Amino acid sequence: MSTLVKTGLLHACAGASPALGGWFLFSGERIDAVGLPGEPCPPADDVLDFSDCSVMPGLIDGHTHFSLSHSDEIDPMPVMRQLGEPGPRKICKAIMYAGEHLRAGVTTVRGMGEDDFIDFDLKAAIAAGYIDGPRVSPAGAFISPTHGHGQTGQTVSDGVEGTRKNCRVNLAKGADLLKVFGSGGVVSGQAGLGYCTSTLAELRVAVEEAAALGKYVAAHVHGGPGIDLCLEAGVRSLEHATLCTDEQIERVAAAGAWVTVTFSPLSHPSGLRGLDPLKQSRLEAIRRTYYAVVGKMLARGVKMCMGTDGVHGAMWFEAAEMEKCGATRRQCLEFITRRAAESCRMENDIGTIAPGKYADFIALRGDPLEDLAHLRSVAAVYQGGARKG
Ligand SMILES: [Zn+2]
């Protein structure tokens, strides 16, 4: 059965000019055709009339964790404790958060690490239709050493062979990527933002194991020598990169590595809260530098996408903060759709409204190129041609 989608304004590909009165046709899960400007609509079995809306590809969150939220009002607790909660409890919360993503227009999420491998189960349950949620590109368990960020004691990756084993466990379960650590984090214990807890050999073996199955590695890294070690090891995507120096930005650009920018935990009202003085000082150090660092990355042409890192559905906020760094609105829309699809290596399936790709799209009650705030006025969400919100 074919379905014709009529739009007021069609943003088929973020970065390109939108088409007034644009239309596209899909059957089943995939898009068949996209109308050229002025081209008459073809006949179809069904019609979705969004003539009073802007329509654009579904949003892509490049970095989050389904098992945690910085703003859990039901049972507030530090994020590291949330990660270590029993698996079934995390799954229950993850189902709720998956719904929050969808309702906010996020149709794909890259899961950047979970204990109990819940992202694999979540992905399978969504794909089977047991629950609604975004498409999931899972990393599985963190590849972190005993004293590293994100370590809850469940999958400890020490030394080359210890690291290799946990990489292989994740890959066997269906990981699209492996998540390693090139520095501590805001909520870490001993490991601060400028210290690297992984050795070059450990980072290299993760890259080697991922590449052996055609996968890639993403590294949590704020600053310090870990950024250089990750680049040297061949890590494909740097997560956060909040304290990147000017020299390191040059090296990131030269290496063609991706950066996933995450403003939400730092600056969103539902971001990191209630920290002790040490962790609060780390957070403030990042806040002071991040907007300038991202502005420099923009100027240097570093490949970027964005992620909410536990503020579920807040891609509108990520886009708005990116505009403050000097990005054009077109770039902001690219980072949360087309560029994110490339970063996730899913560009053949998602990221634009184009023949052959999934019919993942959202209707907005306003043009996001006029004001990015319209990303919040979601009128309808479709995933694989099915209405989800
Ligand atoms: Zn994260």
Side-chain angles (χ1 to χ4, degrees):
M1 191 182 94
S2 61
T3 302
L4 173 69
V5 183
K6 293 182 176 178
T7 79
L9 190 64
L10 179 61
H11 294 268
C13 176
S17 294
L20 207 60
W23 57 263
F24 60 99
L25 200 63
F26 70 85
S27 54
E29 290 192 308
R30 303 263 181 179
I31 295 162
D32 295 321
V34 180
L36 296 169
E39 205 176 8
C41 297
D45 300 318
D46 196 11
V47 176
L48 298 174
D49 191 350
F50 291 115
S51 300
D52 56 349
C53 288
S54 295
V55 173
M56 65 177 289
L59 310 182
I60 302 168
D61 186 332
H63 179 137
T64 203
H65 311 270
F66 282 105
S67 66
L68 65 85
S69 164
H70 302 292
S71 57
D72 186 343
E73 306 294 347
I74 300 168
D75 189 7
M77 65 175 82
V79 290
M80 288 309 300
R81 266 185 57 207
Q82 293 183 43
L83 277 176
E85 286 254 276
R89 183 178 172 86
K90 284 186 295 203
I91 281 282
C92 293
K93 291 166 69 175
I95 292 169
M96 182 174 79
Y97 298 141
E100 288 180 13
H101 281 279
L102 263 192
R103 285 190 292 280
V106 178
T107 51
T108 300
V109 162
R110 179 161 55 182
M112 271 292 171
E114 304 283 356
D115 266 8
D116 294 297
F117 307 104
I118 67 159
D119 45 355
F120 299 125
D121 292 300
L122 199 67
K123 175 180 179 173
I126 292 168
Y130 287 113
I131 56 170
D132 278 342
R135 301 181 192 283
V136 181
S137 183
F142 293 138
I143 306 295
S144 185
T146 298
H147 59 334
H149 183 60
Q151 187 54 259
T152 62
Q154 195 177 89
T155 50
V156 180
S157 305
D158 284 328
V160 168
E161 291 313 313
T163 301
R164 192 190 305 279
K165 177 65 180 177
N166 283 331
C167 290
R168 290 180 175 184
V169 169
N170 279 316
L171 292 165
K173 289 179 179 291
D176 285 346
L177 67 150
L178 298 171
K179 170 77 177 295
V180 301
F181 291 80
S183 81
V186 171
V187 297
S188 292
Q190 293 299 311
L193 303 173
Y195 295 101
C196 185
T197 51
S198 302
T199 65
L200 179 59
E202 288 167 338
L203 296 170
R204 273 192 170 136
V205 76
V207 172
E208 179 190 346
E209 290 298 326
L213 284 190
K215 314 290 182 173
Y216 65 97
V217 173
H220 161 106
V221 61
H222 283 283
I227 288 177
D228 298 302
L229 290 176
C230 286
L231 292 176
E232 193 175 344
V235 167
R236 183 167 179 271
S237 179
L238 305 179
E239 307 302 303
H240 318 299
T242 51
L243 297 168
C244 221
T245 65
D246 292 356
E247 294 74 24
Q248 287 173 325
I249 290 171
E250 286 299 318
R251 288 196 280 276
V252 172
W258 287 87
V259 170
T260 309
V261 176
T262 56
F263 288 117
S264 298
L266 281 57
S267 309
H268 190 283
S270 296
L272 284 162
R273 293 177 293 175
L275 301 172
D276 65 36
L278 171 66
K279 292 168 185 171
Q280 186 64 33
S281 71
R282 289 174 181 159
L283 181 64
E284 282 161 15
I286 294 175
R287 276 192 189 140
R288 278 195 296 274
T289 59
Y290 205 17
Y291 288 74
V293 165
V294 172
K296 289 175 188 173
M297 288 180 182
L298 276 168
R300 189 59 186 81
V302 169
K303 297 193 292 188
M304 285 188 274
C305 68
M306 312 193 74
T308 60
D309 203 7
V311 184
H312 304 288
M315 291 309 293
W316 61 269
F317 180 81
E318 290 293 329
E321 297 305 280
M322 184 59 94
E323 191 178 18
K324 291 180 188 169
C325 295
T328 64
R329 288 187 201 123
R330 287 190 185 207
Q331 282 179 305
C332 294
L333 297 184
E334 282 184 289
F335 293 143
I336 59 175
T337 57
R338 185 169 73 79
R339 300 295 277 167
E342 291 170 25
S343 178
C344 295
R345 284 189 176 164
M346 297 173 78
E347 67 271 24
N348 291 333
D349 286 322
I350 58 168
T352 62
I353 294 173
K357 295 198 183 185
Y358 285 120
D360 289 1
F361 59 93
I362 58 175
L364 304 173
R365 295 185 198 88
D367 180 5
L369 276 186
E370 273 184 12
D371 186 344
L372 290 171
H374 288 307
L375 288 168
R376 299 187 75 177
S377 59
V378 178
V381 180
Y382 282 76
Q383 184 189 47
R387 184 156 185 166
K388 297 293 180 180

